Amino acid sequence: MTTPAQTSRLAAWPTPIWTPRAVVVDCDGLLVDTEAEWVGVQDSYLASHGEALDAATRRELTGRSAETVIRTIADVLDADPQRVAEDLVALHRADLGRGVRLLPGVEETVRAIAARVPVAVASNSPRDLLDQKLAAMPFGDVFDASVAIEDAPAPKPAPDMYLAGARLLGADPADALAFEDSETGAQAAAGAGLALIAVPSLAGQHPVADVTLASLEDADLRGWIETWEITR
C-alpha cells in the first residue's frame, strides 16, 4: 500500500514523471532482515544481564551506528564498552555466518533498478560486515558502489553517507532516490536532499518519507521503475 507524497519529486506517485539519475539504498532492514537480527542480539544480551531497553530508547537506537548502540547498552549495564562491543559483535557475526534472509521483493526490485540507473548501498555497518552481507546476497554484484561507516565523516542520521553514495554514482543528490526502512536512515537521506521511499520492516518505526510502501514487492513501484530512462 502506498502513501502519496504531498510536495516532492514523487508528488504524482504512483506515476511520477521523473527518472532518478542514481539510487542509493540502505542494507539492514531494507535488503536483508539483519536489522531484526541485530535488535534481537541486543535485547537477548541485555536480558541475560537482567536489563531491557524502554520502548523510546529502542526506537531511537534502531538504525544507529554500532558505536552508538554499544555505548547506550554499556551505560544501561554500567559495563566496559569494549567488553560489550566484543560480546555483541561476536554474537552478530555468528548469526551472519548462518546466512542472511532477503526481505520480500528485494532481489527483483534491485535488479530492475540496476538495469536502468546506477545503484549504491549505504550502510551504518563496518566495511567488513557490509561486504560479508553483500557477498551473501545473490545480487550483491549489481551494486556500482557501497558506502560503509568508515567511508563517511559521520554515520546516519547525518546526511554524509547518502551524499557520499550519490557522489560515487556521479549524481547530484537532488537527482537521486533513496530507499530506507528506519527513522534514522530516513533522516539521513532527507538531510542529504534525496527523494525518499520508506519501506519499514520493524514495528515501531515510522520514517518520514515522500512515499511509504509495505514492501519492495509493491506493484506500483515495479511499474514505475519500468518507465525510467536507461541512463547507465
Side-chain angles (χ1 to χ4, degrees), residues 13-67:
W13 181 267
T15 55
I17 310 303
W18 179 60
T19 295
R21 296 299 139 190
V23 172
V24 185
V25 302
D26 178 46
C27 181
D28 300 294
L30 190 283
L31 302 180
V32 289
D33 199 25
T34 43
E35 188 68 49
E37 178 274 326
W38 176 228
V39 168
V41 164
Q42 298 164 39
D43 289 346
S44 295
Y45 184 75
L46 283 160
S48 72
H49 290 80
E51 296 287 351
L53 297 178
D54 61 81
T57 303
R58 165 51 60 213
R59 179 177 178 181
E60 176 69 17
L61 278 185
T62 299
R64 298 278 175 149
S65 68
E67 180 182 359

Side-chain angles (χ1 to χ4, degrees), residues 116-205:
R116 294 181 175 272
V117 302
V119 58
V121 59
S123 171
N124 266 352
S125 291
R127 168 55 62 186
D128 64 324
L129 291 182
L130 177 57
D131 286 347
Q132 183 178 346
K133 294 166 194 173
L134 292 175
M137 298 177 197
F139 58 92
D141 59 339
V142 307
F143 291 105
D144 297 281
S146 63
V147 183
I149 197 167
E150 301 95 330
D151 301 325
K156 305 171 189 178
D160 304 65
M161 303 193 84
Y162 277 98
L163 292 172
R167 182 177 65 250
L168 287 170
L169 298 179
D172 187 304
D175 296 325
L177 172 67
F179 286 83
E180 266 289 351
D181 68 293
S182 71
E183 295 172 7
T184 294
Q187 185 178 338
L194 284 73
L196 174 61
I197 294 177
V199 191
S201 61
L202 287 181
Q205 287 291 294

